């Protein structure tokens, strides 16, 4: 059921079958290096988010540059990372239900694995399973710092839950998860910074309160590509969970004061498959090759070609000026609107250096939704 | 790289791991039967669209009820259908580029396979490959009947291209592809009907023109769930390409005068994984388990619970009234906004009869984007 790769190693990039998910290795490696450089010499470590890349190859590249390990949203992603060689994984999310909790504990016998909680009943379920598996699981209390999704309120509610975690013999209270995902894409840089500063204040208040009650936070984890510099400089976060920085996407490129140190390194390569009208071309990459939940892809290097609408298997391009010279069989390099769900549609990264295919990386956590 | 199924056959539905793509078999079979009944006794056959279901099991159910075969948008889908037992496949789309054309011809040696064209250069490429493989490929000329995507204009341009097809020794002119996808979702029933009537008029004009020039159309293929009755009654279409009717989705349910003979039979089963606020629950199904390109999913049987927003792995539910009693670990049955790209996110259908898992169907064309 796995699709065959769209290329062979050594092949010219011009021969890649389409649609294909292509990584520009030089740009990708510069992104990895820049993140590593920006955290070097600080006490803050990267924990790269595997929900973005879904691929242990990328996780190991991050770890080789100093990352402490990976974080994941699903147990299935954590399994793919551990069995791909990652030794330290945080599930930055709640894990609910006996089958998933059992898999989490099994995995915790094979690698360093931690999880997040926001509910006392879930804490009891985790404790019971941890003791059955003979593990002592590190647990972070998730606090809601403005995301309006999972997590207890900062301050006293976090303290109450941390105490509850610390009281379970199968669990070990390890710190806080505090991620403000919505802030990453606040357009105005001042408002984005203010949202993150408010989150940092909530974290600091909670860390101090826990410390006063004998519950020091060895780990405070959170942050994304759009804000990681602020969390890293906060003095309270110990880890940043950036994911998109490896690849980038249109959504990030539209944010004001966006972290310019990172370049677009991820593309969906597509082929023109219909030229039935002078101002219109149709490419072979639609909703099943590109996620449009955050808007349409952009056509690299072509102001005269606009990706106008996506249907399931087609993308309709509007052509202006020299764009009208696009011919059947021509290739276009599309920058995905939103990298994470786009990657999850593909089974392979085609890694290209210059004009040559250098590697094929299997996206082993593709579809790992459980 | 294929994910393990979320259930075992014989298991109670309450034990299915989540998120999971679940088919209500009774409703699904009623949908199949109703489509078969509505075409019975007419000269029009169903050619069920595999771009929707991505699964030869479903294709064979359609064929057992009278469908002539399947249609597909990609060569990879056609391969999955043929190797899953479907003997007659139309690629209802253009196939461009040597590697895909070679795969198409290879497949045409193993089953009845046809393809669509809208470009004379592509016709020459197909002919050359067909002769190299020793096949005579049936080819439909695609005409644009209002979709604004692929296809030549009806009338003279279609005649010119049909003549070009008929002149190639490796190809056989087999008729027309005429699909008006956008019309399926025009809300007002009168406007929808008018759009389809205009398309039918274009088809009739082209069929008559071709016939006068000695090019009879043995096949005229097109239509979708939202309009198939009109095309089937037109006297010019010989096949209808409905796909969604098996499953249905929120997008179709919102269309006025929508074909009420079909029921929702497809769900994404999700679990409440966070209850951190009284009016909010978070479920474990987000953008990677549900496509939101046509809007948010609906929660089955719960007017007091609204799926408000999706992030990559989370769905935020807004709770009113009794909805606030939803507890951690509770299940919700989500009706996908758009069935086709949602199915493409999953590796397995969990087929349920009443409260019991009766079958697991592998979605073998999931990710078959090439």
């Amino acid at each position: 059921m796995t699709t065959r790769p769209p290329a062979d190693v050594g092949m010219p990039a011009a021969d890649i079958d389409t649609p294909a998910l292509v990584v520009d290795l030089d740009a990708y490696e510069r992104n990895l290096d820049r993140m590593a450089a920006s955290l070097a010499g600080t006490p803050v470590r990267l924990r790269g988010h595997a929900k973005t890349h879904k691929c242990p190859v990328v996780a190991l590249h991050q770890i080789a540059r100093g990352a402490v390990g990976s974080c994941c949203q699903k147990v299935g992603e954590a399994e793919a990372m551990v069995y791909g060689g990652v030794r330290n994984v945080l599930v930055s999310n709640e894990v609910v239900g006996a089958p998933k909790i059992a898999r989490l504990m099994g995995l915790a016998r094979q690698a360093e694995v931690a999880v997040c909680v926001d509910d006392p009943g879930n804490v009891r379920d985790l404790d019971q399973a941890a003791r059955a598996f003979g593990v002592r699981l590190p647990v972070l209390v998730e606090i809601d710092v403005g995301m309006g999704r999972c997590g207890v309120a900062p301050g006293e509610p976090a303290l109450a839950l941390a105490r509850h975690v610390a009281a379970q013999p199968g669990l070990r209270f390890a710190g806080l998860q505090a991620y403000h995902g919505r802030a990453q894409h606040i357009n105005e840089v001042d408002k984005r910074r203010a949202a993150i500063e408010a989150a940092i204040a909530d974290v600091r208040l909670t860390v101090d309160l826990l410390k006063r009650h004998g519950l020091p936070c060895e780990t405070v984890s959170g942050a994304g590509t759009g804000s990681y510099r602020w969390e890293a400089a906060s003095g309270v976060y110990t880890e940043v969970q950036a994911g998109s920085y490896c690849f980038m996407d249109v959504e990030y490129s539209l944010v004001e004061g966006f972290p310019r140190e990172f370049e677009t390194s991820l593309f969906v390569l597509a082929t023109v498959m219909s030229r039935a009208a002078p101002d219109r071309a149709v490419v072979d990459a639609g909703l099943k090759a590109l996620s449009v939940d955050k808007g349409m892809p952009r056509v690299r290097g072509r102001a005269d070609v606009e990706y106008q609408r996506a249907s399931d298997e087609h993308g309709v391009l509007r052509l202006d000026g020299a764009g009208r010279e696009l011919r059947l069989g021509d290739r276009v390099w599309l920058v995905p609107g939103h990298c994470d769900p786009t990657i999850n549609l593909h089974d392979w990264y085609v890694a290209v250096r210059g004009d040559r295919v250098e590697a094929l990386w299997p996206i082993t956590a593709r579809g790992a939704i459980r």
Side-chain angles (χ1 to χ4, degrees), chain A:
Chain A
M1 288 165 66
T2 298
T3 55
R4 190 180 43 192
D8 293 316
V9 172
M11 179 184 267
D15 289 350
I16 298 169
D17 197 12
T18 65
L21 188 70
V22 180
V23 176
D24 173 340
L25 278 174
D26 289 334
Y28 161 81
E29 290 168 1
R30 283 192 296 269
N31 287 342
L32 295 186
D33 290 342
R34 284 169 186 149
M35 175 60 83
S38 87
L39 298 179
T42 78
V44 176
R45 304 281 293 276
L46 175 70
R47 182 182 286 284
H49 219 310
K51 85 183 188 105
T52 302
H53 59 66
K54 296 273 191 180
C55 178
V57 179
V58 176
L60 295 175
H61 288 162
Q62 295 173 319
I63 291 165
R65 286 166 175 80
V68 66
S70 294
C71 57
C72 296
Q73 298 287 64
K74 298 282 184 170
V75 178
E77 290 174 355
E79 289 168 336
M81 292 307 122
V82 168
Y83 299 138
V86 178
R87 304 297 309 149
N88 183 321
V89 175
L90 165 65
V91 181
S92 54
N93 202 2
E94 286 66 30
V95 173
V96 172
K100 289 190 190 76
I101 290 176
R103 285 162 55 209
L104 183 73
M105 298 305 163
L107 205 61
R109 290 203 63 105
Q110 321 235 343
E112 284 182 68
V113 174
V115 74
C116 299
V117 297
D118 72 356
D119 180 272
N122 183 229
V123 168
R124 285 189 294 273
D125 291 343
L126 289 168
D127 173 60
Q128 202 163 48
R131 286 187 282 139
F133 275 80
V135 298
R136 187 143 179 260
L137 194 78
V139 171
L140 305 188
V141 168
E142 178 163 10
I143 59 173
D144 181 358
V145 290
M147 181 86 174
R149 201 171 64 182
C150 304
V152 297
E156 292 293 342
L159 173 62
L161 192 59
R163 282 175 156 159
H164 185 54
V165 170
Q168 311 301 321
L171 308 181
R172 182 168 68 75
F173 173 72
L176 298 178
Q177 163 77 13
Y179 175 60
H180 195 341
R182 290 167 116 176
Q184 308 303 314
H185 301 284
I186 295 175
N187 189 49
E188 300 85 344
V189 65
D190 290 343
K191 287 189 184 168
R192 190 159 78 257
R193 181 165 195 149
I196 295 297
E197 294 296 352
I200 290 170
D202 281 341
V203 173
R204 182 171 287 120
L205 170 155
T206 309
V207 167
D208 291 348
L209 180 70
L210 289 164
K211 194 176 179 184
R212 285 203 304 277
H213 288 85
L215 290 166
C217 292
E218 88 192 22
T219 299
V220 177
S221 202
T225 296
S227 70
Y228 79 97
R229 284 181 173 275
W230 299 321
E231 283 98 338
S234 68
V236 288
Y237 279 84
T238 67
E239 299 177 355
V240 294
Q241 298 177 347
S244 304
Y245 82 97
C246 308
F247 302 125
M248 305 308 288
D249 57 25
V250 174
E251 189 188 16
Y252 263 117
S253 75
L254 296 176
V255 169
E256 185 203 312
F258 148 86
R260 295 291 164 201
E261 63 269 39
F262 303 121
E263 309 165 47
T264 300
S265 72
L266 187 81
F267 304 91
V268 171
L269 184 60
T271 298
V272 175
M273 48 167 288
S274 176
R275 277 299 277 112
D279 62 345
R280 184 176 74 227
V282 179
V283 292
D284 58 0
L287 293 176
K288 292 173 190 163
L290 285 156
S291 186
V292 302
D293 64 287
K294 298 287 166 58
M296 292 298 137
R298 204 182 58 219
V299 183
R300 180 176 76 169
R302 303 226 46 155
D304 50 6
V305 180
E306 183 199 355
Y307 190 110
Q308 208 166 30
R309 57 191 164 89
S311 46
D312 280 19
E313 293 82 10
H314 301 89
V316 176
L317 307 184
R318 191 207 149 96
L319 313 177
D320 284 315
R324 298 191 176 206
E325 290 159 27
L326 215 54
R327 290 168 311 168
L328 203 76
D330 282 354
R331 308 300 184 94
V332 292
W333 294 73
L334 303 172
V335 181
H338 186 186
C339 59
D340 303 41
T342 295
I343 292 164
N344 186 54
L345 296 170
H346 295 264
D347 290 313
W348 301 91
Y349 290 104
V350 180
V352 167
R353 178 103 52 201
D355 289 330
R356 188 162 301 282
V357 175
E358 183 170 303
L360 296 168
W361 300 336
I363 305 176
T364 52
R366 194 283 319 151
I369 53 176
R370 286 178 289 274

